[in-house]
Amino acid sequence: MPPTDKPQLSAPAKDTPTFSPDAVKVVYVLGGPGAGKGTQCANLVRDYGFEHLSAGDLLREEQDRPDSEFGVMIKEYITDGKIVPMEVTVQLLENAVQSKLQDGKGMFLIDGFPRKMDQAVKFEESVCPSKFTLFFDCPEDEMLKRLINRGKTSGRSDDNEESIKKRFRTFVDTSMPVVDYFEKQEKVVRVMATKGPDEIYEEVKTRMTEHGFEPKFVPLT
């Protein structure tokens, strides 16, 4: 197990979350690899004023940071389709929320998180309770097709069939229990992600309205 005592990556235990859910609105965005989370997050950022945080992007940035103590470890975990230790991911997200709050941002879509129960519990208890989880439900054969196509141009080391299938298994084994956990709390908005992006987004907008979020910006036609 890699060390987790690096100051900027390891937060001390807390009795209360860092951020109040009244001041910070967090929506988790989950779905299997290739379910289209990034596309829909971009729509929500454009129309609703959310700040988009991708757990995967933050980890990739950390792995590429020259003086990162955890860069090699993160790369190995991502390539093997495994989940990076919870302490690293949660602290990177907390740092990002804090940074954006200083810029006046208060609504966050956290894309690809929480991917595991310990992440969910840790973030809710120590960083900020979420409003709900937006879950994009998509069959594996459709996600595989999308990711193979993306891999032709993405340059990502995990966009190959072997890594993709490992990521599918990891998602089913570790992330679906998170969806089930929040669903029992009636905190999951499930959207079928098999149609085209525009049709999916129409459903997303309807569901966002049902949960008290209205667009702040109307895109030009």
Side-chain angles (χ1 to χ4, degrees):
M1 179 65 138
T4 56
D5 56 356
K6 193 176 181 184
Q8 66 264 42
L9 291 180
S10 181
K14 304 170 188 173
D15 294 328
T16 58
T18 301
F19 308 110
S20 164
D22 295 328
V24 175
K25 294 180 173 61
V26 170
V27 174
Y28 301 139
V29 183
L30 285 177
K37 301 182 297 295
T39 299
Q40 299 306 325
C41 284
N43 290 336
L44 290 166
V45 168
R46 180 194 65 209
D47 296 345
Y48 290 77
F50 279 99
E51 187 69 26
H52 178 226
L53 299 179
S54 166
D57 287 349
L58 290 172
L59 288 166
R60 281 184 282 273
E61 288 170 11
E62 182 67 19
Q63 93 175 7
D64 294 335
R65 191 164 62 84
D67 60 343
S68 172
E69 180 180 349
F70 296 100
V72 173
M73 177 270 292
I74 291 172
K75 184 173 183 179
E76 290 174 352
Y77 271 79
I78 290 176
T79 300
D80 289 343
K82 297 178 182 178
I83 293 175
V84 173
M86 169 267 293
E87 296 87 350
V88 175
T89 305
V90 170
Q91 191 60 45
L92 288 174
L93 284 166
E94 180 173 344
N95 293 350
V97 170
Q98 184 67 65
S99 175
K100 297 300 181 181
L101 277 177
Q102 292 173 356
D103 296 333
K105 304 287 188 178
M107 299 200 310
F108 297 91
L109 294 174
I110 304 187
D111 182 357
F113 182 90
R115 294 185 62 202
K116 200 174 179 183
M117 278 304 304
D118 63 351
Q119 292 181 348
V121 172
K122 178 72 171 178
F123 191 93
E124 295 273 314
E125 291 182 349
S126 69
V127 182
C128 185
S130 63
K131 295 300 182 184
F132 58 86
T133 297
L134 184 58
F135 174 53
F136 292 99
D137 201 353
C138 190
E140 284 189 14
D141 58 349
E142 175 63 24
M143 292 190 290
L144 178 62
K145 181 174 67 175
R146 294 175 183 178
L147 289 172
I148 293 295
N149 286 334
R150 186 178 77 179
K152 295 174 183 177
T153 57
S154 71
R156 280 177 49 170
S157 61
D158 57 344
D159 273 349
N160 62 78
E161 188 163 351
E162 182 180 357
S163 288
I164 290 166
K165 288 183 176 179
K166 288 180 181 178
R167 289 157 65 197
F168 286 160
R169 297 281 68 76
T170 299
F171 181 79
V172 170
D173 293 343
T174 63
S175 298
M176 282 308 299
V178 175
V179 175
D180 295 339
Y181 171 75
F182 285 121
E183 206 151 37
K184 289 175 183 175
Q185 301 178 29
E186 299 184 344
K187 288 179 61 176
V188 171
V189 173
R190 186 183 291 256
V191 174
M192 286 305 300
T194 52
K195 299 178 181 177
D198 291 343
E199 291 176 281
I200 294 170
Y201 187 48
E202 287 303 314
E203 182 175 352
V204 170
K205 288 191 292 185
T206 298
R207 305 303 298 278
M208 294 298 287
T209 298
E210 291 172 356
H211 286 78
F213 289 91
E214 295 292 345
K216 293 186 176 181
F217 310 105
V218 178
L220 297 175
T221 56

